[in-house]
């Protein structure tokens, strides 16, 4: 029965690939040549001018985008009741977006979010080009509040490199469906650099090989992001705030109402392994997530990911009196603006039970500073039928907090004003300004507390030949040594079970011996 189901799943998966592929490959056969559009036959001075022209035909596009968390940077978690999103949550990378808007919003799909007065209802503020540029020449300026630079400008500052502005007319006339690089412009470089934040998304995913990601393999299936992160009305499937630990819908077929394919099961089903595979594999899917075996390591595309960030050491100068920067293997391990870092590649994930519920330590929430403070906490257990064992990147570090009020700090880092940390290197001023901007008073006393942040690993899916084997987990010190709540053969010892097992072995041997002896005696009697 399972074999038949597996064959059916494979057939459906093949059909889905054939059905889905034209969606991302259809740009070359587009029915619209934007270079012929009258609205785009002019020189554009700014991004919003381009948007205005786009909206003359795509009348509903901005209205649709305004409803998405990509635009609002806000998310209401129905499961926990928490208000999340980039503009609300804290993290242990650059800590918070508040008061640092022009730097952070270089990854927002809009123009001009430089402070709290940004108009989220403005249609012309939507940046169409950042997702639909196909020339690869359109880039937001890192400190431009979402705008590209409209005239030649130096970046990085004081380095003498001149960054040319994009040809907005050419870009506007060349728009198409989003490609991997459009999404990657932000998602590969989140947290301040290549591979910093996610660990399973970095620049190696522009053109990964089969070993790095079997689905996005540039010479193979070559999936785009939208192949799994299906879209409709500019809403994109999949969310790290509400990830699905398991998907009971089975294979999603064309015509089905819910076309969300941002889960493994939506293409592969829950019995994905074929007849040639060990039958035990399919019986594991009720407790083990697909990515647990199929993402054996992350940051394995040749780029390292940041695993530790210590803000407490920021602000140091070298013996020469100049701001200190230390590098190792091409990666900054200390930067005077940000402190100490640890980078790793080919990282073995940490494994935990996970039921999809993620609770955040919200801004202003009192913390227990006697131990490690969780930026977020994951829920799940063996007893819960909806839980699966999942792989995680756990980002750790030290960040500032108000030691008297017991709340995590919101440092004002970026800006030319004297309160900005990267201007004054005065934590007291930076924390006071940041907390005041969020409506909180600063006690004037601060310290640094260790934090941890859980990131579910879902990308860099390895082909079956590189997936984990039985011995990787069923061993005394295997991958799942820290996952509790159940007995695992090969990992755990139970004297009662061991005794029963040995009794069964001895009983079997005894039974076979008695049976063989009986047959020998019987044969001898018949011959006599």
């Amino acid at each position: 029965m399972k074999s038949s189901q597996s064959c059916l799943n494979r057939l459906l998966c093949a059909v889905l690939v054939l059905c889905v592929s034209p969606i991302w490959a259809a740009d070359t056969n587009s029915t619209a040549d934007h270079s012929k559009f009258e609205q785009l036959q002019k020189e554009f001075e700014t991004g919003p001018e381009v948007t205005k022209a786009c909206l003359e035909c795509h009348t509903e596009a901005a209205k649709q985008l305004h409803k998405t968390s990509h635009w609002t940077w806000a998310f209401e978690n129905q499961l926990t009741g928490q208000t999340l999103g980039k503009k609300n949550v804290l993290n242990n990378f650059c800590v918070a977006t508040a008061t640092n808007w022009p730097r952070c919003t270089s990854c927002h799909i809009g123009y001009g979010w430089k402070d709290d007065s940004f108009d989220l209802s403005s249609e012309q503020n939507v940046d169409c080009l950042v997702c639909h540029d196909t020339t690869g020449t359109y880039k937001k300026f890192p400190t431009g509040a979402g705008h590209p630079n409209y005239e030649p400008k130096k970046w990085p500052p004081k380095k003498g490199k001149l960054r040319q502005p994009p040809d907005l007319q050419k870009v506007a006339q060349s728009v198409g469906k989003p490609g991997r690089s459009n999404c990657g412009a932000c998602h590969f470089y989140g947290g301040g650099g290549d591979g910093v934040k996610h660990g399973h998304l970095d620049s190696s995913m522009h053109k990964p090989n089969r070993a790095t990601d079997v689905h996005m393999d540039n010479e193979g299936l070559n999936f785009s992001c939208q192949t799994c992160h299906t879209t409709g009305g500019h809403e994109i499937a999949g969310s790290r705030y509400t990830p699905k630990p398991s998907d009971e819908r089975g294979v999603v077929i064309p015509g089905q109402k819910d076309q969300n394919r941002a889960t493994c099961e939506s293409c592969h089903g829950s019995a994905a392994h074929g007849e040639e595979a060990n039958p035990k594999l399919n019986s594991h899917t009720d407790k083990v997530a697909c990515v647990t075996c199929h993402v054996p390591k992350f940051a394995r595309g040749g780029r390292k990911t940041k695993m530790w960030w210590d803000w407490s050491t920021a602000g140091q100068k070298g013996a020469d009196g100049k701001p200190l920067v230390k590098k190792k293997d091409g990666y900054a391990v200390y930067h005077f603006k940000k402190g100490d870092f640890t980078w790793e590649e080919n990282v073995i994930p940490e494994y935990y039970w996970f039921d999809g519920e993620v609770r955040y330590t919200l801004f202003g929430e009192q913390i227990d500073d006697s131990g490690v403070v969780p930026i977020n906490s994951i829920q799940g257990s063996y007893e819960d039928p909806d839980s699966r064992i999942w792989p995680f990147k756990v980002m750790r570090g030290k960040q500032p907090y108000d030691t008297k009020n017991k709340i995590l700090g919101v440092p004002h880092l970026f800006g030319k004003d004297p309160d900005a940390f990267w201007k004054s290197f005065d934590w007291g001023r930076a924390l006071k300004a940041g907390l005041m901007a969020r409506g909180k008073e600063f006690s004037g006393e601060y310290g640094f507390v260790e934090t941890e942040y859980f990131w579910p690993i879902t990308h860099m899916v390895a082909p079956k030949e590189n997936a984990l084997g039985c011995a990787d987990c069923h061993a005394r010190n295997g991958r799942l040594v820290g996952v509790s709540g159940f007995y695992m053969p090969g990992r755990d010892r139970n004297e009662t079970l061991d005794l029963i097992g040995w009794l069964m072995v001895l009983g079997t041997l005894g039974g076979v011996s008695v049976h063989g002896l009986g047959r020998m005696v019987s044969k001898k009697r018949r011959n006599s």
Side-chain angles (χ1 to χ4, degrees):
M1 184 63 185
K2 283 188 176 181
S3 298
S4 301
Q5 186 178 0
S6 180
C7 289
L8 177 60
N9 288 344
R10 286 182 162 200
L11 178 60
L12 287 171
C13 187
V15 170
L16 282 170
V17 169
L18 290 172
C19 290
V20 167
S21 295
I23 293 175
W24 54 262
D27 270 354
T28 54
N29 298 314
S30 173
T31 56
D33 182 349
H34 285 79
S35 69
K36 297 176 180 177
F37 280 32
E38 182 182 346
Q39 291 88 343
L40 305 179
Q41 305 303 318
K42 66 176 187 179
E43 298 291 332
F44 295 102
E45 298 294 326
T46 66
E49 286 183 24
V50 178
T51 300
K52 186 177 180 181
C54 297
L55 295 177
E56 289 185 30
C57 296
H58 301 278
T59 58
E60 304 306 302
K63 296 182 182 67
Q64 293 173 349
L65 271 168
H66 283 176
K67 299 176 183 175
T68 70
S69 56
H70 270 92
W71 172 259
T72 62
W73 277 15
F75 181 82
E76 296 295 331
N77 190 331
Q78 300 299 320
L79 187 61
T80 64
Q82 293 186 309
T83 299
L84 307 175
K86 287 183 185 296
K87 74 175 183 181
N88 296 308
V89 300
L90 298 166
N91 61 64
N92 54 6
F93 294 91
C94 287
V95 186
T97 53
T99 76
N100 304 307
W101 297 109
R103 188 70 178 89
C104 299
T105 54
S106 62
C107 265
H108 182 245
I109 56 170
Y111 297 115
W113 196 341
K114 59 182 180 182
D115 54 37
D116 290 334
S117 67
F118 179 65
D119 185 2
L120 285 163
S121 66
S122 168
E123 295 191 11
Q124 206 164 312
N125 280 349
V126 170
D127 182 354
C128 306
L129 300 181
V130 70
C131 296
H132 293 283
D133 167 43
T134 64
T135 68
T137 62
Y138 180 81
K139 299 183 189 303
K140 289 171 176 282
F141 194 72
T143 58
H147 288 277
N149 52 306
Y150 299 122
E151 56 187 29
K153 205 168 182 178
K154 286 184 179 179
W155 187 263
K158 302 177 183 178
K159 294 290 184 181
K161 295 180 180 177
L162 208 56
R163 184 163 168 153
Q164 297 296 330
D167 182 339
L168 293 175
Q169 184 188 52
K170 180 182 177 183
V171 175
Q173 292 180 355
S174 308
V175 294
K177 290 182 180 296
R180 205 176 289 168
S181 293
N182 299 98
C183 305
C186 285
H187 292 284
F188 295 169
Y189 301 90
D194 190 0
V196 166
K197 186 177 284 184
H198 296 279
H200 56 147
L201 292 172
D202 59 34
S203 61
S204 70
M205 296 292 275
H206 281 296
K207 293 182 178 179
N209 57 25
R210 176 179 162 82
T212 302
D213 192 294
V214 68
H215 297 120
M216 299 179 79
D217 172 16
N218 203 46
E219 302 296 326
L221 293 172
N222 200 24
F223 280 12
S224 72
C225 303
Q226 289 75 29
T227 307
C228 299
H229 295 278
T230 44
T231 62
H234 283 96
E235 188 65 66
I236 300 172
S239 168
R240 69 183 175 89
Y241 295 121
T242 55
K244 282 188 174 182
S246 61
D247 189 348
E248 303 303 327
R249 297 174 302 162
V251 176
V252 176
I253 59 176
Q256 191 169 318
K257 186 177 180 181
D258 184 359
Q259 287 292 302
N260 182 340
R261 295 198 188 92
T263 64
C264 302
E265 295 95 322
S266 65
C267 281
H268 296 283
S270 57
H273 305 92
E275 294 178 355
E276 73 283 2
N278 186 332
K280 293 296 290 182
L281 294 177
N282 282 337
S283 67
H284 276 50
T285 57
D286 63 338
K287 291 295 181 187
V288 181
C290 304
V291 285
T292 297
C293 297
H294 285 275
V295 188
K297 296 177 181 178
F298 58 88
R300 63 172 199 277
R303 296 293 307 172
K304 293 184 179 182
T305 186
K306 200 171 281 186
M307 300 296 291
W308 171 263
W309 187 328
D310 184 356
W311 279 99
S312 70
T313 59
Q316 295 179 11
K317 293 182 178 179
D320 57 0
K322 294 181 178 178
L324 190 61
V325 177
K326 298 178 185 176
K327 289 191 174 183
K328 183 180 180 183
D329 301 328
Y331 294 85
V333 293
Y334 178 82
H335 195 287
F336 69 100
K337 281 188 172 182
K338 303 177 179 179
D340 281 291
F341 310 128
T342 299
W343 298 81
E344 296 181 27
E345 62 181 331
N346 298 314
V347 186
I348 294 177
E350 295 185 27
Y351 301 93
Y352 300 94
W353 287 109
F354 184 44
D355 64 3
E357 182 177 335
V358 185
R359 287 189 174 273
Y360 279 74
T361 298
L362 299 177
F363 169 70
E365 188 176 327
Q366 286 217 323
I367 61 171
D368 177 2
D369 60 353
S370 64
V372 178
V373 175
I375 296 294
N376 65 356
S377 304
I378 53 173
Q379 314 298 318
S381 68
Y382 174 78
E383 290 76 18
D384 180 0
D386 293 329
S387 292
R388 301 289 185 276
I389 297 172
W390 265 76
F392 288 86
K393 169 184 174 177
V394 184
M395 176 67 186
R396 296 185 169 89
K398 287 183 178 178
Q399 60 195 88
Y401 78 110
D402 186 320
T403 55
K404 190 173 182 181
N405 292 326
K406 304 287 186 186
I407 60 173
L408 290 173
V410 179
H412 172 44
L413 300 171
F414 175 79
K416 295 181 179 179
D417 58 283
D419 289 332
F421 180 74
W422 290 339
K423 190 75 174 178
S424 67
F425 292 94
D426 184 330
W427 279 115
R429 296 179 69 167
L431 290 169
K432 181 180 180 181
L435 287 168
M436 281 183 65
R438 294 292 300 267
K440 290 285 182 183
E441 280 195 22
F442 176 47
S443 72
E445 299 176 16
Y446 70 89
F448 293 85
V449 66
E450 188 170 339
T451 58
E452 60 183 12
Y453 195 177
F454 291 82
W455 292 79
I457 295 295
T458 53
H459 300 90
M460 291 191 176
V461 177
K464 61 181 181 182
E465 61 269 22
N466 295 340
L468 295 183
C470 303
D472 289 303
C473 298
H474 292 275
R476 294 288 290 170
N477 293 303
R479 293 286 186 106
L480 304 185
V481 66
V483 183
S484 61
F486 70 110
Y487 175 83
M488 185 172 174
R491 183 194 68 172
D492 300 322
R493 293 290 303 272
N494 182 298
E495 292 183 1
T496 303
L497 284 177
D498 287 349
L499 177 62
I500 293 174
W502 280 114
L503 288 175
M504 291 175 67
V505 170
L506 292 174
T508 301
L509 288 174
V512 170
S513 299
V514 171
H515 177 74
L517 185 61
R519 289 181 67 98
M520 290 174 61
V521 172
S522 176
K523 183 178 179 181
K524 188 174 181 180
R525 285 180 176 174
R526 285 199 303 271
N527 291 339
S528 62

